Amino acid sequence: MKALKRKQDSEQIIRYADMLSAMGTEPRLRIMQLLLTAHPEGLVVGDIGSELDIPSSTLSHHLDKLKNEGLVRVRRDGTFLWYSANADGLQELIGFLYAECCTRNHAIEPKKIVCCK
């Protein structure tokens, strides 16, 4: 039973590490920030590229990476691709970090996380 729990924990940590890694570049973090400001509707690819001044081919690569890690969702509307932040995936990732830093060992007081500036 303990071995199964460790394996699940290990797989979960690998998943969260991949999610954090996907956001670990400046353009992808800017994309996430922009998509969060447009939540829940999201934005079409062209608007993301224009707003962030990222060429289409590079933007496509970044969006694919974020989508593959479960950080963004995409939906087709006619000829347009709409991208939006995956709030469920982000909530899971933030919950994991919160649990580790604020509930188990109290490294950070929870009330200090409420506002980020």
Side-chain angles (χ1 to χ4, degrees):
M1 189 70 131
K2 275 188 168 183
L4 179 60
K5 173 85 170 112
R6 273 194 304 257
K7 183 178 183 206
Q8 289 172 334
D9 288 348
S10 177
E11 289 171 356
Q12 191 176 41
I13 290 192
I14 290 168
R15 180 169 176 257
Y16 295 141
D18 289 344
M19 291 171 85
L20 289 167
S21 176
M23 287 189 295
T25 67
E26 180 262 337
R28 291 184 200 145
L29 193 54
R30 289 176 51 217
I31 291 167
M32 289 303 301
Q33 185 179 32
L34 181 63
L35 290 177
L36 285 166
T37 64
H39 188 73
E41 294 84 17
L43 294 165
V44 294
V45 174
D47 290 346
I48 298 168
S50 295
E51 178 74 24
L52 300 178
D53 196 28
I54 299 174
S56 297
S57 60
T58 305
L59 179 60
S60 176
H61 166 75
H62 290 310
L63 289 169
D64 280 347
K65 179 67 174 170
L66 293 168
K67 182 180 70 108
N68 291 340
E69 297 305 334
L71 295 164
V72 300
R73 293 187 172 139
V74 61
R75 73 180 188 281
R76 182 175 289 282
D77 184 8
T79 59
F80 296 100
L81 291 177
W82 285 79
Y83 282 85
S84 59
N86 178 2
D88 295 335
L90 288 168
Q91 181 177 349
E92 187 180 336
L93 177 61
I94 291 168
F96 165 75
L97 294 172
Y98 182 84
E100 293 303 318
C101 78
C102 304
T103 61
R104 290 195 182 117
N105 70 10
H106 304 286
I108 301 171
E109 291 180 49
K111 65 182 177 183
K112 290 186 176 181
I113 295 179
V114 175
C115 182
C116 300
K117 289 205 180 216

